[in-house]
Amino acid sequence: MLGGALLLALLANELGAQVAPVPRGPIARRAIDSALAVATADSAWARVKHTYYDTTFRGLDWEAVGAEVRARAARARDERELRAAITAMFDRLGESHFALVPSGAVEHGRAAPSEEDSLGTAGIELRLLRGRVVVSRVVPGSAAAGAGVRAGWWLERVGALEVAPLVRTRLASLDGAARRLAELQLTLSLAARTHGRAGERLRLAFRDGRGRRRPVRLVLRRDDAELVRFGPLPPQLVRFESRRLDDAAGCVGVVRFNAWMAPVAPRFDDAMAEYRHCRGVILDLRGNVGGVAAMVMGVGGYVLDSAVSLGTMTTRGAALRYVANPRRSDRRGRPLAPYAGELAILVDGMSASTSEIFAAAMQVLGRARVFGEPTAGQALPAMLAPLPNGDVMQHVVGDFVAPDGRRLEARGVVPNVQIQLSRAALLAGRDEVLRAALSWIGGGATATSRATASTRRATPATW
């Protein structure tokens, strides 16, 4: 079962997510047979009818909703109009984690590079800041780093796509939870356009700290992230980074990964074994949109010494408590007690779903202090189902509450220490959120302390 916002970046007329290379143009509009359109809409409606956790459908007459969506599907002239009808049905429930993956994206995902092929990336991370898209991080050794791109630069163009008009269109008249969701979708969509095959050329344009336009042409370089396939979803790039900061007082471990997927587990185990004697561990979940929700139980066991509740998932007719599974040995069978030092968790508006579930549990239990910006508020368990037209739907099957009974959907996690993203800090090369966490842990470690990248396939980060 997914607890991640893995489909949130599949927008109405363009592909995007933290996935393998995707077409940079819009999905083609294809005519659709009326009978197939109705069958597809009815299948999506029925899936919700039989699996949605709230049998009152939030006060909606679901039979009437079904009649409406079938009528609208019968009038659909093409697949885009059909998807709009189904999406409008989803929107009536007012929940995140309802989404459609167009059949073209599914087909493209199946044809994405395998392990033997070389994946490429520009090596930048993006965030929305004051209505503009900013480079929040440049990976050392990446194509962008080699081209002189710097954190804090505004992104103005990707390929032929002008960014500002897209941002204005996507965010127009939105506020609250709807705007946060749109911002998450938009940022992931743009990030996807900086991925491709190694050796592929990409044109970008930025605005630097002095207001100068900086056109850049670069060649995408091989990406060390692992390619993970999850059912019919486009493949997901999973990155894990581990970094140890040493000073006279000892060490602080910093761990970062972008998705809660299987390849993270052995690397996290290795990192926690190495950092077991450090006075603090920082778990950086900024930009982590989620993944497999059940992983929070295993990860929680590395920092909790008892089988305490991490929250409860409620589905139709059942309730499942997520419970920490305390670790007594590492993956090689060596003794390993749960970590007892200070734990800091870093989050931002792109920390979603499983990341929110974990951060909320650690915060409520008093096990961790959370730093950064409020999270996305997109925290519902979901599943995938194919539709007759070849699309895949993600549909909500449960609700989730933190250990204190607080619902995370549309609320998110509010950090103990709130620190807003600052362009001035980015341009100066300062990570204010990391600095605040290190200051709280104490002992003299700073973002410029001697660091050792220690985990296999770790990519050194600019801290």
Side-chain angles (χ1 to χ4, degrees):
M1 185 173 295
L2 292 176
L6 296 178
L7 305 188
L8 292 180
L10 291 163
L11 305 180
N13 68 347
E14 66 184 43
L15 293 171
Q18 288 184 317
V19 298
V22 295
R24 292 203 171 94
I27 300 171
R29 299 186 69 155
R30 295 186 297 187
I32 186 168
D33 174 75
S34 179
L36 178 59
V38 172
T40 299
D42 186 64
S43 178
W45 171 84
R47 181 72 61 168
V48 177
K49 177 183 178 180
H50 295 299
T51 64
Y52 186 56
Y53 68 94
D54 179 3
T55 55
T56 72
F57 300 97
R58 299 199 165 272
L60 295 172
D61 181 342
W62 200 244
E63 296 298 326
V65 170
E68 291 174 13
V69 73
R70 285 188 289 272
R72 186 170 172 183
R75 297 192 300 270
R77 294 169 296 179
D78 54 38
E79 289 187 328
R80 183 176 296 184
E81 291 187 1
L82 170 62
R83 291 175 186 130
I86 296 172
T87 299
M89 177 185 69
F90 292 160
D91 290 345
R92 300 274 302 267
L93 291 167
E95 306 264 45
S96 69
H97 285 58
F98 277 110
L100 286 176
V101 182
S103 57
V106 176
E107 293 163 5
H108 186 83
R110 294 192 182 108
S114 66
E115 289 289 342
E116 292 72 34
D117 293 314
S118 293
L119 292 171
T121 179
I124 58 176
E125 294 183 9
L126 305 172
R127 296 291 185 273
L128 268 169
L129 180 63
R130 303 196 303 272
R132 299 182 71 176
V133 178
V134 68
V135 177
S136 60
R137 182 171 180 247
V138 179
V139 178
S142 66
V149 178
R150 296 289 181 265
W153 286 11
W154 300 121
L155 176 66
E156 296 192 338
R157 193 184 72 237
V158 184
L161 177 67
E162 293 292 336
V163 173
L166 177 65
V167 172
R168 287 194 297 270
T169 300
R170 295 294 185 198
L171 302 184
S173 304
L174 296 177
D175 55 20
R179 184 180 179 91
R180 290 199 303 273
L181 176 59
E183 289 177 346
L184 179 61
Q185 292 173 329
L186 176 60
T187 307
L188 291 174
S189 175
L190 289 170
R193 291 172 177 266
T194 68
H195 297 190
R197 295 182 185 274
E200 183 180 353
R201 298 182 182 276
L202 178 64
R203 297 173 60 187
L204 301 161
F206 302 91
R207 187 74 58 177
D208 69 16
R210 297 183 179 180
R212 298 173 298 187
R213 185 170 174 84
R214 294 291 196 102
V216 171
R217 294 187 180 186
L218 50 78
V219 177
L220 302 184
R221 295 184 184 176
R222 186 178 181 277
D223 195 320
D224 275 342
E226 285 199 29
L227 193 66
V228 176
R229 295 180 183 273
F230 195 97
L233 282 177
Q236 175 85 0
L237 290 174
V238 179
R239 298 182 180 85
F240 186 96
E241 302 170 16
S242 176
R243 191 169 172 103
R244 173 174 166 153
L245 303 178
D246 294 289
D247 59 23
C251 62
V252 175
V254 184
V255 175
R256 176 177 183 165
F257 51 94
N258 71 321
W260 294 76
M261 301 294 274
V264 166
R267 301 180 192 181
F268 191 83
D269 184 275
D270 290 344
M272 294 307 294
E274 178 182 353
Y275 302 150
R276 64 189 182 279
H277 298 307
C278 288
R279 65 180 178 276
V281 167
I282 297 173
L283 180 57
D284 190 347
L285 297 178
R286 290 175 293 182
N288 186 320
V289 297
V292 180
M295 284 185 65
V296 301
M297 295 185 278
V299 172
Y302 285 95
V303 296
L304 293 167
D305 197 33
S306 60
V308 295
S309 174
L310 304 178
T312 303
M313 178 181 71
T314 303
T315 60
R316 184 173 293 194
L320 172 65
R321 277 204 318 152
Y322 284 17
V323 177
N325 180 21
R327 298 289 299 191
R328 305 302 178 195
S329 64
D330 66 15
R331 67 190 180 100
R332 295 177 176 84
R334 299 172 299 197
L336 179 68
Y339 178 72
E342 301 286 9
L343 176 65
I345 298 177
L346 314 185
V347 297
D348 63 9
M350 291 183 64
S351 304
S353 210
T354 307
S355 293
E356 298 180 276
I357 290 171
F358 186 80
M362 296 299 110
Q363 184 185 57
V364 168
L365 295 171
R367 182 60 189 90
R369 195 164 179 82
V370 181
F371 296 80
E373 298 176 312
T375 61
Q378 312 291 326
L380 294 176
M383 298 186 74
L384 303 171
L387 295 175
N389 72 331
D391 288 0
V392 172
M393 67 177 282
Q394 176 175 272
H395 58 106
V396 174
V397 297
D399 197 7
F400 191 89
V401 296
D404 61 356
R406 175 168 47 94
R407 193 171 189 249
L408 299 178
E409 178 71 5
R411 295 178 175 87
V413 178
V414 178
N416 301 96
V417 179
Q418 293 196 53
I419 302 169
Q420 297 299 314
L421 187 66
S422 159
R423 190 186 185 214
L426 290 174
L427 289 168
R430 298 192 309 271
D431 187 337
E432 301 287 11
V433 180
L434 177 64
R435 287 186 173 204
L438 288 169
S439 176
W440 172 69
I441 290 171
T446 69
T448 56
S449 297
R450 185 174 66 84
T452 304
S454 54
T455 302
R456 184 176 66 89
R457 283 199 184 183
T459 303
T462 300
W463 304 102

